[in-house]
Amino acid sequence: MLRTNETSQPELFTKEFTQNPYPVYEKLRENNPIFKIMFPNGEFGWMITRYEDAVEVLKDNRFSKDMVKLFGPDQQNIFVHNMLFADPPDHRRLRGLVQKAFTPRTIEGMRSHIQQIADDLLDNLDSPDKMNLIDEFAFPLPIIVISEILGVPVEDQDKFRLWSNSIIDATSDVPVEVFEQHIQEFTDYLNAWFAKTRVETGDDLISQLVMAEEAGEQLTEEELISVVALLIIAGHETTVNLIGNGVLALLEHPEQRDLLISKPELIHNAVEEMLRYNGPVEFSTSRWASEDIDFHGHQIAKGELVIVALDSADRDEQKFKDADVFDITREKSPHLAFGKGIHLCLGAPLARLEGEIAISTLLRRFPDMQLQEDVHELEWRPGMIVRGLKEIPVKFK
């Protein structure tokens, strides 16, 4: 039995948990859905595992995202001056500056170009018989797309992957000195890029943000760096793992794969089910209680950390019938893969479109694709945010 307010959970954050967290989540939802724990970075905080509780936290403005307001400036953290870590009214201002680049209409206009990118990647695989799905397809597709939106040279995509992986996995096995080096390299790159953009302005989103800052809009230098860093990382991390986890679910459920091949019009439902079943973002980003809060009988003190286990909420039997069943015919569900409330993922329309195109194209081109190794041998990425595999080696019959 898991005890209320238990501050250590031996089942959590182990290699076995990372491999398959869902049985542990089921126990937590049943026995200890709101509890205090020490997270891998050594910080104590609260974890929320049930769907309804998760939605309540994600939409409750008493749980603040603004760590600067709560704890003061952190000069080592370049990521705290964007809409993800801002409360109203700053959140509205920062989000508004980039919103127009991610409207559903704008994103839908990119469909044919994204399709061309997907086809080109599969036309130029190293081998006609096999590939590493992550390295050769799931990673490059979204980084090419976000690079073009932002105006970043595509040849720098490997740098972005190195920096992004280091930052996303910072709470696990990335040495502090390596993390700090990558932050410095990332910051230096952005500053040089902004300086060049001020001289040679283009039509890309970065030029728009730089011009807005120079034209007297409210972007500070720290906000400019933070917003762009967020877009580069969040603009591809979610999609990489949506594609990877989605393909893995199809390979583990061949009857669902065959159904999708025979009825390609199900791709919209399929992607929503992939997002729910094994979502690309396992935990929400941090929130802190802005005041003392009585949350369903639990006393959360002002300043305490609160994390929502999104992937647990999306397997909640109280919300989703047969929650552990992967069913691409399931009606579109109110899953939390992209969050909820004012912090709903800005890039959700783009991630959905990229996921639909990527997975449809793979199935059309390689309908007999299979894993090259046992699924239990695949290695999941460490860390507290994303849920995704380091590699997915597949072969084509």
Side-chain angles (χ1 to χ4, degrees):
M1 173 72 71
L2 297 171
R3 298 185 296 278
T4 302
N5 290 354
E6 189 172 358
T7 56
S8 64
Q9 301 285 345
E11 301 98 331
L12 291 170
F13 311 125
T14 64
K15 183 177 180 180
E16 292 74 21
F17 173 82
T18 302
Q19 186 78 17
N20 181 15
Y22 295 105
V24 175
Y25 285 146
E26 183 178 6
K27 292 179 182 177
L28 288 171
R29 289 193 303 272
E30 181 179 351
N31 300 310
N32 200 16
I34 303 168
F35 63 95
K36 201 169 187 181
I37 185 175
M38 185 173 75
F39 291 102
N41 64 355
E43 185 175 5
F44 279 96
W46 295 84
M47 182 176 287
I48 312 297
T49 59
R50 285 180 181 167
Y51 182 91
E52 295 298 339
D53 295 337
V55 170
E56 189 172 344
V57 168
L58 295 174
K59 297 176 71 173
D60 191 334
N61 59 16
R62 294 178 301 169
F63 295 106
S64 172
K65 299 282 289 177
D66 193 336
M67 65 187 301
V68 175
K69 182 173 65 179
L70 286 168
F71 306 114
D74 180 356
Q75 301 302 321
Q76 301 302 312
N77 194 334
I78 68 172
F79 302 103
V80 299
H81 302 285
N82 57 60
M83 54 275 193
L84 186 61
F85 289 103
D87 297 332
D90 282 342
H91 172 270
R92 188 179 304 109
R93 171 177 58 85
L94 292 167
R95 189 177 177 106
L97 284 166
V98 296
Q99 181 90 45
K100 59 186 175 182
F102 294 93
T103 63
R105 182 176 180 179
T106 301
I107 297 306
E108 183 59 32
M110 301 176 66
R111 178 179 290 275
S112 61
H113 184 52
I114 296 173
Q115 182 64 63
Q116 185 62 56
I117 294 171
D119 288 330
D120 288 347
L121 287 170
L122 295 181
D123 285 341
N124 293 284
L125 295 175
D126 292 338
S127 168
D129 303 316
K130 61 182 180 180
M131 73 168 165
N132 177 346
L133 180 72
I134 300 297
D135 285 349
E136 296 184 67
F137 189 64
F139 172 79
L141 188 152
I143 198 64
I144 290 171
V145 174
I146 198 64
S147 294
E148 292 182 352
I149 291 174
L150 294 171
V152 185
V154 177
E155 58 266 24
D156 289 337
Q157 64 177 268
D158 288 339
K159 295 179 185 177
F160 291 145
R161 185 178 194 184
L162 176 66
W163 295 330
S164 177
N165 284 350
S166 179
I167 293 162
I168 288 291
D169 298 340
T171 57
S172 53
D173 57 359
V174 177
V176 173
E177 60 274 13
V178 173
F179 172 74
E180 292 177 347
Q181 177 189 340
H182 289 168
I183 288 290
Q184 189 62 55
E185 291 173 356
F186 199 9
T187 305
D188 290 345
Y189 180 95
L190 293 180
N191 283 326
W193 178 17
F194 299 152
K196 179 180 178 182
T197 300
R198 289 186 176 98
V199 176
E200 303 174 13
T201 301
D203 296 327
D204 54 83
L205 180 56
I206 295 307
S207 294
Q208 295 172 23
L209 291 173
V210 169
M211 287 189 295
E213 185 238 354
E214 288 192 328
E217 292 288 342
Q218 301 93 330
L219 267 185
T220 65
E221 189 71 17
E222 290 81 8
E223 288 171 342
L224 184 59
I225 292 174
S226 190
V227 167
V228 174
L230 173 66
L231 291 173
I232 291 171
I233 295 175
H236 79 272
E237 279 287 353
T238 300
T239 310
V240 172
N241 298 312
L242 164 56
I243 296 170
N245 296 359
V247 170
L248 179 66
L250 291 175
L251 295 178
E252 289 189 288
H253 300 84
E255 77 288 348
Q256 295 294 301
R257 178 187 62 183
D258 293 344
L259 177 60
L260 187 53
I261 290 173
S262 65
K263 294 184 176 181
E265 66 274 13
L266 286 174
I267 187 60
H268 306 290
N269 273 32
V271 165
E272 296 305 311
E273 178 66 347
M274 292 166 186
L275 287 163
R276 183 202 69 82
Y277 180 75
N278 198 6
V281 181
E282 186 163 2
F283 298 99
S284 70
T285 47
S286 301
R287 284 166 171 76
W288 295 270
S290 62
E291 59 186 68
D292 292 341
I293 299 171
D294 182 339
F295 190 75
H296 297 286
H298 299 270
Q299 306 307 310
I300 301 179
K302 180 179 180 179
E304 286 192 322
L305 173 68
V306 179
I307 298 286
V308 173
L310 300 172
D311 280 354
S312 173
D314 283 342
R315 291 282 192 103
D316 189 339
E317 304 83 352
Q318 299 301 311
K319 184 65 179 181
F320 303 100
K321 182 180 179 181
D322 300 322
D324 288 330
V325 175
F326 178 64
D327 177 10
I328 66 170
T329 67
R330 188 188 299 268
E331 293 186 4
K332 184 177 179 179
S333 63
H335 63 72
L336 302 180
F338 293 121
K340 201 77 172 178
I342 65 170
H343 292 285
L344 182 73
C345 177
L346 186 69
L350 179 60
R352 284 184 165 104
L353 180 61
E354 290 175 324
E356 289 176 11
I357 291 173
I359 293 167
S360 293
T361 305
L362 278 170
L363 292 180
R364 185 173 65 251
R365 304 259 312 244
F366 307 112
D368 296 319
M369 180 173 55
Q370 294 183 358
L371 284 172
Q372 279 187 271
E373 57 186 69
D374 188 278
V375 65
H376 301 294
E377 299 300 318
L378 299 176
E379 186 175 358
W380 292 86
R381 292 175 59 185
M384 268 291 296
I385 301 177
V386 302
R387 176 159 178 79
L389 288 158
K390 291 185 175 181
E391 298 180 353
I392 305 180
V394 294
K395 58 186 177 180
F396 315 129
K397 274 193 173 182

